[in-house]
Amino acid sequence: MSPDSATIRRVPTGPARRGPIGAEPARKVAGQPGTDKGAVTHEGSEARIDARGIYYKTLNEQIREEMLNGAQTVILENVNGQRYIGGGLSGEDVRVVINGVPGNDLATFMTGPTLIVNENAQDGVANTMNRGLVVINGDAGDVLGYGMRGGRLYVRGDVGYRVGIHMKAYEDQRPAMVIGGKARDFFGEYMAGGELVLLGLGSDGKDIVGSYLGTGMHGGVIYVRGEVAEHQLGKEVSIAPLSAAEQSRVAELVGDFAGWMGLDAGEILERPFIKIFPYTHRPYGKLYAY
Amino acid sequence: MAEVTFTRPEFRVRIDKELCQQCGRCAHQCGWGVHKMDEETGYPVPDSSKCGACHRCVTFCPAQAILVEKNPLAYKHSDSFSPDLRKAVWRQAETGGVLLAGMGNDKPYLRIFDHLLLDACQVTNPSIDPLREPMELRTFLGRKPDKIEVEYVPDGNGSKPKLKTEMDRLLQIETPIVFGGMSYGSVSLNVHRSLAMAAKELGTLMNTGEGGLHADLQPYQDNIVVQCASGRFGVHADYLNAGCAVEIKIGQGAKPGIGGHLPGEKINEEVSVTRMIPQGTDALSPAPHHDIYSIEDLRQLIYALKEATGYKPVSVKIAAVHNVAAIASGVVRAGADIVYLDGFRGGTGAAPTVIRDHVGIPIELAISVVDQRLRDEGIRNRASVIAAGGIRSSADVAKAIALGADACAIGSALLVALGCHLCQKCHTGSCSWGICTQKPELTRRLDPEWGAERIVNLVTAWSHELAEILGALGVNAVESLRGSHERLRSLGLDQQTQEILGVKPAGIGH
């Protein structure tokens, strides 16, 4: 007896899901006004966009459009969770000022511009960022500076988990991040280059950083203002005091950070820093049998 | 017992001294230093323990005086504890290290492709001769709309139809065969040059792998897919925009769930410039992307890449694992334009042998369950499916397409075309054929123009064969074969595998 194709095609792939489908075209999201643009006003080389209720794709198109038309500064008002602001943006001497809380992946793949956030930021800031400056005048979320290869990121307050993972440096491309407050677990994990500075301002005796600090780290350096217990360290790193050259490098980074934040750098630098660095730039060199 | 190894050479290299002209070419050609010229006698003295049977010396010996044979050394027989397993134990007892291997899984698992047979027309519904009639192999990869809306616009006396639906950008390929990702760093720059030139000439796509794009390849950008993997090597806005599409590499068939460790020895000056990391450092790719822990996170990266590239198509490469159908569904829902499935026979520049040989599932099963799942959920049109990992011939391509793939990607076959003899020593970085190495004296052995020509020849030949297969099936477009399980029959597969593949046993008609 020959089985018909209905019986032969009982393919056990799991329950079929029908109904609403997640991957709708990018513009059409419930409750979003779609392609409506934000109101823009111009003043000299400054453009001001009202981002209230504007869909992220449209908002980002508008930012690029204003810059192409010669705006040096784009000020965004009423930002509320729009993603990818500054994503892939390039250009020197251009600035985006964000009033409100931007969404995830701020400044992803960015090359050159300065982004100033006057409130908090969310996850994924400066993901794979190439060059430029991001200043956040509040707290920020998880996975900041993932794979960041250049530029600077300054955060006034606390940051979440997995910050500075796999930052890397190459020749004059040296990413640097200064965190004013505290950081959670996996700070600087897999780090391959660049500099992380953790100040722990306002930590009130709590731990400045979580566990697994610098796990898998094989390049770059982490400076922490205060103490870190042995159990917080990843097994590939150790602690040392700063050399004079490192001390002045920290002073330079903290000085710039404090300048943007309106803080007193001298006061911050009064407390001693420690250096966390990897034993080797080839942590798994002996893992394999050739 | 210091310095004693129990692992005896796998091959035996012999020089026929009657034929040998003492020219020393073998010593020069071998990347692993098997042949050393004896100053007194003038003959080469081979060290068989270093030989991988790559035939470089054999090919270039002008006197055909070299014989590479299997070492006939007998091992006490055990079906369970094979000599290979014993050797692995000895090497690990000696080194304490994880064993590495290159290329794909070489273990004797069931090769499903070899148990599938294609159909052909006889008498009724006549077959087509592709030499005299048009045969469409052109394929469009990317997201197709759920429905097409057309409006009629006035045109002189009457009206003409105009597409109203906004289409996503599609990738046009002239044959359903693209090149899989092989990074510069694992393979040489001349391999990348060969692939780029060939892709352009063939009207198909090469894939950079995760090692960045060398500046020399910028002119080929319309035929290049750039990869963004967990190490984010060489990934910057210019790089992302340097290709016609971006691929997020989540996994690889040869090492699902494993990151990559490109050893510092392979990071020379040029690789260092392209990967943007210092020379001599290990290039470590974490096992996961640490910004992707969920489908929502994947969606975030897909759209971050789209924002950064002006909405170019984004492909997501996943390894074929047990739950691949559900994962692929999530990938499509996350907004991927292409799902790239890599089966457990896929190649690698280096992977822990235990992972390469024991993790993942065959691509044939993955294609079938993914295609079916996407159809069941009504989202098959939202992404193209590329099948890779063990595609060895045009027959495999035809069978993969019949199982539901839009196109196939090949990698190992391309390297074999360039001279690779599957010696599986890619991870040593001393490839005598100049393919999987960064040593300048070896990489210059591969002339990119020659390489491109051989790849063009190979893919052109496979495309002709595909046309012949389609003609025999009585269809005139590769579209008509896609997902056509009815045109396949199984020979010697168990019933449940047949059900998963949606294929009837040979001997049963319609």
Side-chain angles (χ1 to χ4, degrees):
Chain A
M1 195 186 76
S2 93
D4 59 46
S5 52
T7 52
I8 201 83
R9 288 209 46 74
R10 270 177 308 157
V11 178
T13 61
R17 285 191 212 128
R18 296 186 190 277
I21 288 164
E24 60 272 79
R27 285 173 190 276
K28 291 170 198 154
V29 167
Q32 292 282 4
T35 55
D36 291 349
K37 286 187 168 190
V40 189
T41 54
H42 292 97
E43 201 182 315
S45 65
E46 224 175 71
R48 194 177 292 269
I49 304 173
D50 185 357
R52 186 186 299 278
I54 304 301
Y55 190 51
Y56 76 81
K57 191 177 172 191
T58 314
L59 180 64
N60 291 328
E61 273 167 15
Q62 267 191 289
I63 296 169
R64 284 192 285 268
E65 196 179 292
E66 291 301 332
M67 289 195 165
L68 273 178
N69 293 337
Q72 299 257 277
T73 304
V74 176
I75 302 169
L76 307 178
E77 302 288 357
N78 302 310
V79 170
N80 188 7
Q82 281 96 342
R83 289 181 170 184
Y84 316 120
I85 294 174
L89 204 62
S90 58
E92 314 301 319
D93 305 322
V94 288
R95 182 177 287 205
V96 181
V97 180
I98 297 158
N99 292 314
V101 178
N104 291 355
D105 272 359
L106 180 80
T108 298
F109 309 116
M110 187 175 84
T111 305
T114 297
L115 258 60
I116 298 163
V117 180
N118 285 323
E119 296 176 31
N120 296 333
Q122 298 189 357
D123 298 341
V125 178
N127 188 340
T128 324
M129 182 169 120
N130 211 27
R131 205 166 66 242
L133 171 66
V134 180
V135 178
I136 295 163
N137 278 289
D139 297 334
D142 299 337
V143 213
L144 311 183
Y146 181 60
M148 182 177 169
R149 61 180 64 259
R152 289 188 184 183
L153 168 62
Y154 296 154
V155 181
R156 175 187 289 267
D158 297 340
V159 296
Y161 296 88
R162 310 187 328 252
V163 168
I165 294 192
H166 218 311
M167 267 172 55
K168 48 178 81 69
Y170 178 68
E171 295 189 340
D172 57 344
Q173 293 265 92
R174 305 202 75 79
M177 199 187 288
V178 183
I179 308 298
K182 306 183 293 294
R184 302 290 198 115
D185 297 350
F186 299 106
F187 193 61
E189 188 187 20
Y190 265 118
M191 193 168 162
E195 296 151 308
L196 289 176
V197 183
L198 183 61
L199 300 179
L201 300 171
S203 55
D204 295 328
K206 290 184 195 136
D207 279 351
I208 300 167
V209 68
S211 296
Y212 305 103
L213 174 61
T215 293
M217 186 172 173
H218 54 291
V221 60
I222 302 175
Y223 301 109
V224 178
R225 179 175 166 275
E227 295 300 318
V228 173
E230 192 66 33
H231 71 83
Q232 291 173 286
L233 292 182
K235 62 182 188 296
E236 294 83 3
V237 293
S238 51
I239 299 178
L242 278 65
S243 69
E246 288 162 346
Q247 195 73 54
S248 65
R249 176 63 181 161
V250 169
E252 188 192 326
L253 286 169
V254 170
D256 196 41
F257 168 84
W260 280 99
M261 299 295 173
L263 298 169
D264 182 348
E267 203 177 302
I268 295 171
L269 291 166
E270 270 171 18
R271 278 192 66 180
F273 283 77
I274 53 166
K275 177 176 87 166
I276 287 132
F277 70 102
Y279 290 115
T280 165
H281 61 275
R282 302 203 52 194
Y284 307 120
K286 292 201 174 95
L287 184 62
Y288 300 110
Y290 282 97
Chain B
M1 289 284 282
E3 303 299 317
V4 170
T5 175
F6 298 172
T7 52
R8 304 320 306 154
E10 190 176 357
F11 303 102
R12 210 159 59 168
V13 184
R14 296 216 254 186
I15 309 289
D16 188 333
K17 287 187 181 163
E18 279 182 21
L19 296 173
C20 178
Q21 300 167 358
Q22 303 172 313
C23 67
R25 210 169 287 179
C26 49
H28 175 71
Q29 291 294 335
C30 184
W32 290 283
V34 169
H35 303 281
K36 285 265 174 335
M37 298 306 285
D38 188 303
E39 281 179 17
E40 273 182 29
T41 65
Y43 288 108
V45 180
D47 175 357
S48 295
S49 68
K50 294 175 178 166
C51 181
C54 85
H55 296 187
R56 180 76 192 183
C57 60
V58 175
T59 309
F60 283 84
C61 174
Q64 297 177 36
I66 305 172
L67 175 67
V68 177
E69 58 188 357
K70 261 196 174 167
N71 186 346
L73 177 66
Y75 289 82
K76 173 69 183 168
H77 178 76
S78 164
D79 255 348
S80 155
F81 218 134
S82 67
D84 279 350
L85 287 170
R86 277 171 256 177
K87 284 185 199 172
V89 167
W90 288 326
R91 278 181 66 200
Q92 295 195 294
E94 285 161 16
T95 63
V98 171
L99 297 175
L100 287 178
M103 299 313 292
N105 191 329
D106 63 359
K107 293 288 169 284
Y109 293 101
L110 178 71
R111 292 180 305 277
I112 295 173
F113 278 134
D114 296 346
H115 292 265
L116 291 173
L117 296 168
L118 287 155
D119 193 15
C121 294
Q122 297 292 292
V123 188
T124 58
N125 185 19
S127 49
I128 300 171
D129 182 352
L131 298 177
R132 288 183 291 107
E133 296 187 55
M135 190 58 72
E136 188 67 273
L137 294 182
R138 183 177 287 170
T139 301
F140 292 90
L141 299 175
R143 186 187 302 183
K144 279 81 169 190
D146 292 345
K147 58 179 179 192
I148 295 278
E149 283 185 285
V150 177
E151 61 186 346
Y152 286 86
V153 291
D155 174 35
N157 302 330
S159 65
K160 70 173 187 185
K162 185 171 170 278
L163 190 63
K164 200 175 157 193
T165 310
E166 205 182 314
M167 295 284 288
D168 286 279
R169 242 189 273 184
L170 298 174
L171 301 171
Q172 179 182 324
I173 50 175
E174 301 305 322
T175 182
I177 301 165
V178 300
F179 304 163
M182 292 180 282
S183 72
Y184 172 44
S186 102
V187 296
S188 73
L189 183 55
N190 282 346
V191 172
H192 257 209
R193 287 195 181 108
S194 306
L195 295 172
M197 282 191 269
K200 187 171 182 160
E201 188 166 338
L202 290 162
T204 189
L205 305 169
M206 84 162 269
N207 186 314
T208 59
E210 71 159 309
L213 182 70
H214 193 274
D216 286 6
L217 300 186
Q218 296 279 355
Y220 302 96
Q221 53 179 291
D222 292 345
N223 299 90
I224 290 179
V225 178
V226 295
Q227 207 180 59
C228 174
S230 64
R232 303 287 156 88
F233 295 111
V235 178
H236 49 79
D238 291 345
Y239 165 76
L240 295 173
N241 279 299
C244 59
V246 184
E247 179 166 280
I248 301 171
K249 179 192 172 188
I250 300 291
Q252 183 177 341
K255 41 180 171 175
I258 294 285
H261 295 166
L262 186 67
E265 291 86 4
K266 274 192 167 182
I267 313 288
N268 65 15
E269 193 182 342
E270 288 274 292
V271 174
S272 134
V273 171
T274 306
R275 292 213 175 201
M276 301 168 83
I277 48 167
Q279 283 187 52
T281 352
D282 281 355
L284 305 183
S285 288
H289 291 245
H290 281 288
D291 52 353
I292 304 176
Y293 284 8
S294 66
I295 292 295
E296 291 76 12
D297 289 349
L298 176 63
R299 183 178 178 81
Q300 188 174 312
L301 183 61
I302 289 172
Y303 279 92
L305 289 168
K306 284 180 175 281
E307 277 289 321
T309 58
Y311 284 76
K312 282 183 183 166
V314 175
S315 163
V316 174
K317 175 174 177 176
I318 53 172
V321 291
H322 298 183
N323 202 23
V324 67
I327 296 163
S329 163
V331 167
V332 175
R333 285 161 193 280
D337 300 86
I338 297 167
V339 185
Y340 182 125
L341 303 172
D342 202 11
F344 85 145
R345 287 185 198 281
T348 177
T353 315
V354 65
I355 302 289
R356 189 196 73 169
D357 292 352
H358 299 280
V359 179
I361 64 168
I363 189 61
E364 301 91 327
L365 301 175
I367 301 166
S368 185
V369 296
V370 166
D371 179 59
Q372 188 61 41
R373 179 68 172 254
L374 299 181
R375 284 173 196 277
D376 287 349
E377 296 184 6
I379 55 174
R380 181 64 180 86
N381 61 303
R382 287 173 187 263
S384 293
V385 173
I386 294 180
I391 308 288
R392 308 152 299 171
S393 66
S394 58
D396 290 354
V397 175
K399 290 169 188 176
I401 290 173
L403 287 170
D406 288 87
C408 288
I410 54 173
S412 300
L414 297 169
L415 300 188
V416 170
L418 295 178
C420 169
H421 280 56
L422 289 183
C423 80
Q424 307 188 21
K425 290 171 84 168
C426 323
H427 58 287
T428 61
S430 298
C431 175
S432 297
W433 291 89
I435 295 168
C436 214
T437 177
Q438 301 304 327
K439 294 179 180 169
E441 69 275 17
L442 298 175
T443 60
R444 69 168 178 239
R445 293 177 177 183
L446 180 63
D447 172 10
E449 309 238 332
W450 174 86
E453 192 186 321
R454 293 184 58 98
I455 291 169
V456 169
N457 284 347
L458 174 75
V459 176
T460 306
W462 282 19
S463 301
H464 282 311
E465 291 175 346
L466 266 181
E468 291 286 356
I469 290 169
L470 294 174
L473 287 162
V475 298
N476 59 10
V478 71
E479 280 285 316
S480 309
L481 177 62
R482 186 156 303 126
S484 193
H485 301 246
E486 185 54 33
R487 308 311 297 273
L488 292 171
R489 288 292 184 270
S490 78
L491 189 62
L493 292 175
D494 64 86
Q495 193 180 342
Q496 188 147 29
T497 304
Q498 287 173 35
E499 283 178 12
I500 293 167
L501 292 168
V503 170
K504 296 171 191 166
I508 292 178
H510 293 298

